[in-house]
């Protein structure tokens, strides 16, 4: 556990992707089975056990420390787990009689079966045995608050490097693997066969688009591209496959690979043919696409009631086909996949699944006109649910990540960006008990690597229901407190993306980012979007260039 | 011992036992100002011996200040850090090392006169006696015991009870009143074994042989301790120094502290710095200066590195918890061991330490002294070595 904690500690400070990889690969090389397997599980978010409540940690320290000293320390450190880890008193045992600190395996396997009443004593024992960093990692782990700041993809890439394998290969077999991944490591180290993915409906890493800018068009030939609408819903991957007995298993994945099938059971029967569709989840009522706000009623629900299903009928609009029965189509050019998709959707013949139409155009001018007025370019009454257009190279294979020059997104409203919530402050008047003033930021490359830089503050635009949700999020994800201001977790994988709408942009030397927004407001909460995919400062700078010069008063 | 000190005003200090120079100059003033009050000194209260004033801790019956932050006529200096040892005083009493460091930092004319005192040496100043004891903080650092009648007050300056190969170990001084620092006066600050932190650094150097490792460390004390720890861990490659480190580090070597082969980082080709370790002042590890290093790993050796938010704030990639101040366990153990019934707490987290003392039945109060900070944040470059 101490060694794993040391890795986490080091990763938390290391900004460079390649260096993070080296640290993780180094750990896999140095640490044996099964500890490294559980580490891989922790890094990829594949561990599951009942988490301990912060109250339990407070009780443990209250029994061992002066409350005034604890209060002063907690104020200073700003993080419960870290405070307790640092001030946990040294165990008063004879040096020769100390039990060895627990291994990661011991911690993980014990936590899986530990009863609620046994938790405090077990935790105290471990805390006595671990060092400061080990205690910190343990407390983060048991409270479910471990923020590692690396993606599951990165951890798998680091594992692949152990055996000089393509990370993509691991991705393909991953859904069939489970901690502590003995077969995976055996294969990576050349001691065993490649594990077979027995999951009939695995997730495939998603392909993403770059935001297109005015200047990009000059270099692009319209004939190379197919355009389609960018629907204002939730990007998903709908996968169906046959298990050993020939039965169909269907799953719905978010763009990050999270299994969200449970939230949309009404779509499962429609996925009755083996295949993998890349598409958009929408709510359709009488054939018309409803706004994102309507779709949002179906998100983050614990219970999906028949009433909810009836009032918010789910629909899948298909963009792409990644697999057809046993065949992996991802190497094929997009134009060919699109043809296969058309056939596949026709064969499905299901009212809940349809094709996203392409937008015919002969020149960029024609596409500009279509984007400006989707209603007259084929979208008809659904035009309000269109966010913009997507441009996809006819010959582009389906590549994971955001490969250059293959897919472009061209949003309709230039005055909307996706930003990440960074700080929250209590509001005034009747909002004074809520965190309702939000500072948000966008990504930029600094000498410390990728960082979020604050670009504005907003305190309206959201509904009362949304305010409650953000307030809850802020309270549960505070990393530090400074007076009335809370620092909210904002890392590549953890945090809340806010869609911010604004009236204009100005240069501002007063702001660290160099830009100031006019009239910014929260137009939507993007629970579905990982912060890593929020907009970049360069996007704002380009918008700024497109703005008429304004003088800041 | 270094030779030429042309501007030394108190030449007597070199020939006769030092106790005279400062004491003699103090006496006339003493008599004039405090002579009438002598009769009541038999019942000396601690605050009659030492009193916090705007200029620093003032000893009226001895007519001197300890570590004054403003120019005074007579200053007793505990150690060479710039927040304790300032230029411009009339007469200065300190260890030879502290005086030498002040001279290196401020130039020959840093004080009207100087007088060196050894550990264990006792001198009389006015109505009090002053004795210096090792503080274990940096080379030459001292605790100052001030005794009047039978009351002894120890002003410990900055101190640590942890082992340090570059200075004389901390000595416990039994006393009636103990004045303690509280830089790390919260129970979250427990520094652990510094040699384990150096192992972390060496493991990183082994993992990233193509990168340079920059270790931010205060140039007086911390840098030399880190180098000595690296040597003790068996690292025998040359260690590189930022220009601002050179003077003081060479001074340490001149006092017989073994630091192995040291080279200036200046002028070395970028590629040649791969896999090396360079010591630099903390401020340099975040500026343009770092561009001369291949993909540097930024480390920082400081007790503050115990708290993640502090390390992140500084953009540190490899925090090394190495402190020249006592940690919480060190502070509380020392306070208890002095046997002092009264504790005065200064610079740092006074509240927690005062609370702890009171909960142990000790009389305790915070001293409102201003001007003492964390040396890492108030570093003044050594004179004549601005850029490196
Ligand atoms: Zn100091």
């Amino acid at each position: 556990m101490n060694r794993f904690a040391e890795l986490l500690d080091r990763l938390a400070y290391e900004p460079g992707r390649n260096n993070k990889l080296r640290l993780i690969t180094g750990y896999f090389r140095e640490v044996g089975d099964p500890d490294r397997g559980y580490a891989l599980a922790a890094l990829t978010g594949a561990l599951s056990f009942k988490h301990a409540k912060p109250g339990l940690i407070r009780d443990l320290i209250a029994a061992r420390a002066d409350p005034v000293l604890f209060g002063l320390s907690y104020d200073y450190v700003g993080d419960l787990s870290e405070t307790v880890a640092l001030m946990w008193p040294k165990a008063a045992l004879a040096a020769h009689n100390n039990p060895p600190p627990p291994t990661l395996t011991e911690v993980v396997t014990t936590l899986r079966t530990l009863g609620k009443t046994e938790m405090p004593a077990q935790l105290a024992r471990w805390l006595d045995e671990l060092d400061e960093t080990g205690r910190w990692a343990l407390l983060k782990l048991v409270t479910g608050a471990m923020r590692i700041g690396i993606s599951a993809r990165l951890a798998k890439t680091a594992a692949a490097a152990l055996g000089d394998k393509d990370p993509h290969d691991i991705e393909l077999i991953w859904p069939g693997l489970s901690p502590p991944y003995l077969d995976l490591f055996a294969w990576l180290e050349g001691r065993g066969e490649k594990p077979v993915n027995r999951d009939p409906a695995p997730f495939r890493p998603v392909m993403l688009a770059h935001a297109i800018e005015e200047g990009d068009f000059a270099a692009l030939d319209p004939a190379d591209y197919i355009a389609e609408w960018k629907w204002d819903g939730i990007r998903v991957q709908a996968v169906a496959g046959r298990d050993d007995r020939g039965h169909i298993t269907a799953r719905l994945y978010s763009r990050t690979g999270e299994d969200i099938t449970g939230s949309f059971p009404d779509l499962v029967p429609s996925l009755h043919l083996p295949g993998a569709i890349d598409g958009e989840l929408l709510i359709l009522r009488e054939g018309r696409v409803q706004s994102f706000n309507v779709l949002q009623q179906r998100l983050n629900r614990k219970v999906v009631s028949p009433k909810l299903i009836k009032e918010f009928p789910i629909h899948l609009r298909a963009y792409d086909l990644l697999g057809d029965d046993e065949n992996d189509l991802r190497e094929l050019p997009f134009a060919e996949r699109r043809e296969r998709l058309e056939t596949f959707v026709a064969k499905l013949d299901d009212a809940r699944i349809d094709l996203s139409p392409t937008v015919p155009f002969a020149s960029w001018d024609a596409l500009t006109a279509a984007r400006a007025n989707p209603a007259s370019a084929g979208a008809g009454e659904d035009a309000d649910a269109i966010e913009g257009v997507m441009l996809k190279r006819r010959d582009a294979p389906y590549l994971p990540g955001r490969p250059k020059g293959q897919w472009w997104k061209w949003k309709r409203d230039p005055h909307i960006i996706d930003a990440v919530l960074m700080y929250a402050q209590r509001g005034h008047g009747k909002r004074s008990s809520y965190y309702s003033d939000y500072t948000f930021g966008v990504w930029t490359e600094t000498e410390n690597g990728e960082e979020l830089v604050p670009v504005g503050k907003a305190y309206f635009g959201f509904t009362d229901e949304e305010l409650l949700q953000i307030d809850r999020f802020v309270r549960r994800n505070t990393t530090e407190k400074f007076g009335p201001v809370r620092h909210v977790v904002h890392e590549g994988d953890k945090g809340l993306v806010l869609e911010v709408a604004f009236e204009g942009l100005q240069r501002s030397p007063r702001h660290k980012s160099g830009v100031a927004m006019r009239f910014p407001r929260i137009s939507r909460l993007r629970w579905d979007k990982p912060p890593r995919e929020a907009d970049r400062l360069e996007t704002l700078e380009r918008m700024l260039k497109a703005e008429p010069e304004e003088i800041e008063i | 011992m270094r030779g030429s000190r042309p501007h030394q005003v108190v030449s007597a200090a070199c020939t006769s036992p030092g106790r005279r120079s400062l004491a003699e100059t103090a006496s006339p003033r003493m008599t004039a100002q405090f002579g009438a009050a002598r009769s009541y000194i038999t019942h000396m209260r601690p605050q009659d011996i030492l009193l916090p004033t705007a200029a620093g801790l003032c000893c009226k019956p001895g007519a001197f200040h300890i570590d004054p932050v403003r120019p005074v006529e007579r200053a007793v200096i505990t150690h060479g850090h710039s927040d304790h040892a300032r230029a411009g005083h009339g007469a200065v009493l300190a260890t030879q090392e502290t005086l030498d460091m002040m001279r290196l930092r401020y130039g020959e004319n840093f004080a009207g006169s100087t007088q060196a005192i050894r550990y264990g040496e006792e001198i009389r100043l006015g109505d009090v006696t002053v004795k210096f004891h090792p503080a274990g903080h940096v080379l030459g650092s001292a605790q100052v015991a001030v005794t009047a009648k039978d009351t002894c007050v120890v002003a410990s300056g900055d101190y640590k009870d942890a082992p340090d190969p570059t200075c004389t170990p901390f000595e416990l001084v039994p006393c009636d009143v103990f004045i303690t620092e509280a830089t790390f006066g919260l129970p979250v600050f427990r520094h652990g074994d510094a040699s384990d932190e150096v192992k972390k650094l060496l493991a990183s150097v082994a993992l990233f042989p193509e990168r340079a490792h920059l270790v931010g460390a205060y140039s007086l004390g911390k840098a030399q301790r880190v180098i000595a720890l690296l040597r003790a861990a068996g690292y025998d490659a040359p260690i590189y120094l930022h220009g601002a480190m050179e003077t003081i580090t060479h001074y340490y070597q001149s006092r017989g502290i073994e630091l192995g082969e040291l080279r200036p980082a200046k002028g070395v080709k970028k590629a040649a710095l791969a896999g090396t370790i360079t010591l630099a002042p903390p401020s340099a590890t975040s500026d343009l200066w770092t561009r001369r290093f291949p993909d540097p790993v930024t480390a920082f050796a400081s007790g503050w590195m115990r708290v993640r938010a502090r390390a992140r704030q500084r953009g540190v990639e490899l925090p090394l918890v190495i402190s020249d101040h006592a940690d919480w366990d060190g502070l509380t153990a020392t306070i208890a061991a002095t046997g002092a019934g009264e504790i005065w707490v200064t610079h740092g987290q006074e509240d927690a330490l005062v609370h702890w003392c009171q909960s142990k039945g000790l009389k305790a109060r915070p001293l409102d002294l201003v001007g003492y900070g964390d040396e890492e944040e108030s570093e003044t470059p050594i004179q004549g070595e601005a850029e490196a």
Side-chain angles (χ1 to χ4, degrees), chain B residues 79-84 137-138 157-159 218 324-325 347 373 375:
Chain B
H79 68 287
H81 278 145
S82 56
D83 50 340
H84 291 258
H137 176 53
V138 294
D158 290 340
Y159 68 94
Y218 185 57
D324 282 338
H325 296 267
H347 52 291
E375 53 263 19

Coordinates of all heavy atoms in Angstrom, one line a residue, chain B residues 79-84 137-138 157-159 218 324-325 347 373 375, ligand 1:
Chain B
H79 N 21.3 33.5 14.3 CA 21.8 32.7 13.1 C 21.8 33.6 11.9 O 21.2 34.7 11.9 CB 21.1 31.4 12.9 CG 19.7 31.5 12.5 ND1 18.7 31.9 13.4 CD2 19.1 31.3 11.3 CE1 17.5 31.9 12.8 NE2 17.7 31.5 11.5
G80 N 22.4 33.1 10.8 CA 22.6 33.9 9.7 C 21.5 34.2 8.7 O 21.6 34.9 7.7
H81 N 20.3 33.5 8.9 CA 19.2 33.7 7.9 C 18.8 35.2 7.9 O 18.8 35.9 9.0 CB 18.0 32.9 8.3 CG 18.2 31.5 7.8 ND1 17.7 30.4 8.5 CD2 18.7 31.0 6.7 CE1 18.0 29.3 7.8 NE2 18.6 29.6 6.7
S82 N 18.4 35.7 6.7 CA 18.2 37.1 6.6 C 17.1 37.7 7.4 O 17.1 38.9 7.6 CB 18.0 37.4 5.1 OG 16.9 36.7 4.6
D83 N 16.2 36.9 7.8 CA 15.1 37.5 8.6 C 15.5 37.6 10.1 O 14.8 38.3 10.9 CB 13.8 36.7 8.5 CG 14.0 35.2 8.7 OD1 15.1 34.7 8.6 OD2 13.0 34.5 9.0
H84 N 16.6 37.0 10.5 CA 17.1 37.2 11.8 C 18.4 38.0 11.9 O 18.6 38.7 12.8 CB 17.5 35.8 12.4 CG 16.2 34.9 12.6 ND1 15.7 34.8 13.9 CD2 15.4 34.3 11.8 CE1 14.6 34.0 13.7 NE2 14.4 33.7 12.5
H137 N 20.0 24.4 13.8 CA 19.2 24.9 12.7 C 20.1 25.0 11.4 O 19.7 24.3 10.4 CB 18.7 26.3 13.1 CG 17.9 27.0 12.0 ND1 16.8 26.4 11.4 CD2 18.0 28.3 11.6 CE1 16.3 27.3 10.5 NE2 17.0 28.4 10.6
V138 N 21.1 25.8 11.4 CA 22.1 25.8 10.3 C 23.5 26.0 11.0 O 23.6 26.2 12.2 CB 21.8 27.0 9.4 CG1 20.5 26.8 8.7 CG2 21.8 28.4 10.1
G157 N 15.6 31.1 18.9 CA 15.7 31.5 17.5 C 15.0 30.4 16.7 O 13.9 30.0 17.0
D158 N 15.6 30.0 15.6 CA 15.1 28.9 14.8 C 15.9 27.6 15.3 O 17.1 27.7 15.5 CB 15.3 29.0 13.3 CG 14.4 30.1 12.7 OD1 13.4 30.5 13.4 OD2 14.7 30.7 11.7
Y159 N 15.2 26.5 15.4 CA 16.0 25.3 15.9 C 15.3 24.0 15.3 O 14.2 24.0 14.9 CB 16.0 25.3 17.4 CG 14.7 25.0 18.1 CD1 14.3 23.7 18.5 CD2 13.8 26.1 18.4 CE1 13.1 23.5 19.1 CE2 12.6 25.8 19.1 CZ 12.3 24.6 19.4 OH 11.1 24.3 20.1
Y218 N 16.7 26.5 0.2 CA 17.3 27.8 0.7 C 18.8 27.7 0.7 O 19.4 26.7 1.1 CB 16.7 28.1 2.1 CG 17.1 29.4 2.6 CD1 16.8 30.6 1.9 CD2 17.8 29.6 3.8 CE1 17.2 31.8 2.3 CE2 18.2 30.8 4.3 CZ 17.9 31.9 3.5 OH 18.3 33.2 4.0
D324 N 14.6 22.5 8.2 CA 15.6 22.9 9.2 C 15.0 23.4 10.4 O 15.6 24.0 11.3 CB 16.6 23.9 8.6 CG 17.6 23.2 7.7 OD1 17.8 22.0 7.9 OD2 18.2 23.9 6.8
H325 N 13.7 23.3 10.5 CA 12.9 23.7 11.7 C 12.4 22.5 12.4 O 12.1 21.5 11.7 CB 11.7 24.6 11.3 CG 12.1 25.9 10.7 ND1 12.3 27.1 11.4 CD2 12.4 26.3 9.4 CE1 12.7 28.1 10.6 NE2 12.7 27.6 9.4
H347 N 6.9 33.5 15.8 CA 6.8 33.3 14.4 C 6.3 31.9 13.9 O 7.0 30.9 13.9 CB 8.0 33.7 13.6 CG 9.4 33.2 14.1 ND1 9.9 33.6 15.2 CD2 10.2 32.3 13.5 CE1 11.1 33.0 15.3 NE2 11.3 32.2 14.3
G373 N 9.9 35.6 9.1 CA 9.0 34.8 8.2 C 9.7 33.5 8.0 O 10.5 33.1 8.7
E375 N 12.1 31.7 5.9 CA 13.3 32.2 5.1 C 13.1 31.8 3.7 O 13.6 32.6 2.8 CB 14.6 31.6 5.7 CG 14.7 30.2 5.9 CD 14.4 29.7 7.3 OE1 13.8 30.6 8.0 OE2 14.8 28.6 7.7
Ligands
LIG1 ZN1 16.3 30.4 10.2

